[in-house]
């Protein structure tokens, strides 16, 4: 499945924020089981973007 337009908008915002914080982005992936976008950055930052474009920082 392709990411939704809301997911892509939030992904752009998240990646912009992470790079402004000078955090290296190690992984951007679409989880095929849940259709969530997963971003791993820095030492401990994990960001999950669901289908509705809601962002969860873990």
């Amino acid at each position: 499945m392709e990411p939704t337009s809301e997911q892509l908008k939030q992904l752009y915002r998240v990646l912009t924020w992470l790079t402004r914080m000078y955090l290296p982005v190690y992984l951007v992936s679409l989880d095929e089981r849940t259709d969530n976008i997963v971003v791993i950055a820095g030492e401990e930052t994990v960001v999950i973007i669901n289908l509705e474009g809601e962002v969860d920082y873990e």
Side-chain angles (χ1 to χ4, degrees), residues 3 7-8 11 28-31 35-39 47-49:
Q7 281 179 309
L8 292 175
L11 178 62
V28 176
S29 180
L30 182 64
D31 184 345
D35 292 327
N36 292 338
I37 294 177
V38 179
V39 179
V47 180
I48 298 174
I49 306 170

Side-chain angles (χ1 to χ4, degrees), residues 6-20 49:
E6 288 302 315
Q7 281 179 309
L8 292 175
K9 288 177 192 175
Q10 287 296 353
L11 178 62
Y12 176 79
R13 290 180 184 122
V14 166
L15 292 178
T16 301
W17 176 77
L18 290 171
T19 56
R20 284 185 182 165
I49 306 170

